[in-house]
Amino acid sequence: MTVEGLGRRVLVAAFDGWNDAGEAASAAVSLLRAEGEYESVYSVDPELYFDYQYTRPTVSLDAEGNRALSWPDATLLRPAQQTRGTQLWLLTGVEPARAWKAFASELVDFALAEDITGFVALGSMMADVPHTRPISIFAGSDSDALRTGLGLERSSYEGPVGILSVLAHVAEQAGIPAASLWASVPHYVAGHTPSPKATLALLDRLEDITGAKVPRGELSTQAAAWEASIDAAAADDEEMTEYIRGLERTRDTWDSPDASGDAIAREFEQYLRRRGDGPGKPGRDEPRR
């Protein structure tokens, strides 16, 4: 597919933390980085944007046994070689704790310097969906041109947002068309294990809207093993089995020919409202989306 709306130099962003249920989004960018050849071209100064009491540096040992500190960061990577067709730049890191306007402006300014033509934010959210059905992807944009050209949705959500939404907004204001892809991860497993099935669904949709050739690695095998492991765990829990069957019935109703096309959008907005209000409201160590 030729996608003129996002152009040929597309920046794909994912951040650890709130935006990353089941590590699905960060794993997608990690796989793109591992399967391609990239060079780091820009990193923010962590002193400006992170609170180390809540996003702490980590210590590790190198091959010689020396201790090294790794600090939270946000890094932009470009393809090591320029080729014909659509290429993907990557933005990955930890959601900042402060100075979000400066953070977003700094990164979008550098994206402009790289002649980035399109921006895609990858996220994943906990949702009331079964692991046994295809992973739902909410694909949205505030750009009329992208919604028309790519068949994307426009969210009517109003409420707290995270850094992905801020970056997309700033990119749009700077003239870079922006889209968002959000995977719905079963809430009963999202906080316990990585979700390769959701990562695979994100990468499939990313390829659809960018036209870039997107690697999948071993995700198909990993997704099948992930689903089988949950099946095995649920088989020993009658209550969980019945709960999953209820989610399956609801999902099958959504997927029926008579169902509204807005079902996934409603689930997305309900998720954001749950995260922004009531007992699920993020704390200081979990920045809001």
Side-chain angles (χ1 to χ4, degrees), residues 7 14 27 63 67 74 88 153 155-156 158 162 174 188 231 246 287:
R67 298 172 69 83
L88 304 179
E153 301 283 346
S155 174
S156 60
E158 297 177 288
Y188 52 90
D231 287 342

Side-chain angles (χ1 to χ4, degrees), residues 3 14 28 83 88 108-109 115 125 127 162 172 177 180 188 208 229 240 243 250 268 270 278 284:
V3 182
T83 62
L88 304 179
V108 170
D109 283 348
D115 294 323
M125 57 185 177
E172 284 278 0
S180 297
Y188 52 90
D208 287 343
S229 68
M240 176 60 71
Y243 177 71
T250 299
F268 176 69
Q270 289 169 4
R284 290 184 63 192

Side-chain angles (χ1 to χ4, degrees), residues 96-283:
R98 52 179 172 257
W100 282 23
K101 290 192 288 185
F103 179 88
S105 295
E106 182 176 332
L107 289 169
V108 170
D109 283 348
F110 196 83
L112 290 169
E114 287 285 293
D115 294 323
I116 293 298
T117 58
F119 176 84
V120 180
L122 301 184
S124 49
M125 57 185 177
M126 291 184 288
D128 296 329
V129 295
H131 69 282
T132 53
R133 298 295 187 265
I135 296 292
S136 300
I137 301 292
F138 174 82
S141 177
D142 287 334
S143 165
D144 292 336
L146 288 189
R147 290 199 308 276
T148 300
L150 301 177
L152 306 181
E153 301 283 346
R154 183 170 191 170
S155 174
S156 60
Y157 168 75
E158 297 177 288
V161 297
I163 197 61
L164 290 177
S165 295
V166 174
L167 282 165
H169 179 74
V170 174
E172 284 278 0
Q173 288 187 320
I176 302 175
S180 297
L181 302 178
W182 282 81
S184 294
V185 179
H187 70 88
Y188 52 90
V189 296
H192 304 289
T193 62
S195 301
K197 189 174 180 178
T199 298
L200 180 60
L202 282 171
L203 291 175
D204 286 346
R205 196 70 176 97
L206 179 66
E207 184 169 277
D208 287 343
I209 71 169
T210 63
K213 185 176 181 180
V214 174
R216 310 302 200 280
E218 300 297 322
L219 280 175
S220 292
T221 300
Q222 294 168 5
W226 174 82
E227 187 169 332
S229 68
I230 301 169
D231 287 342
D236 296 328
D237 188 331
E238 184 176 344
E239 184 177 350
M240 176 60 71
T241 298
E242 184 55 39
Y243 177 71
I244 292 172
R245 286 173 181 164
L247 294 178
E248 290 172 338
R249 289 191 291 269
T250 299
R251 175 61 188 273
D252 292 344
T253 299
W254 287 0
D255 290 343
S256 70
D258 297 330
S260 166
D262 295 331
I264 296 176
R266 287 199 301 271
E267 179 65 35
F268 176 69
E269 291 171 7
Q270 289 169 4
Y271 165 76
L272 291 177
R273 291 190 180 97
R274 286 198 300 268
R275 293 304 300 262
D277 298 296
K281 186 174 181 179

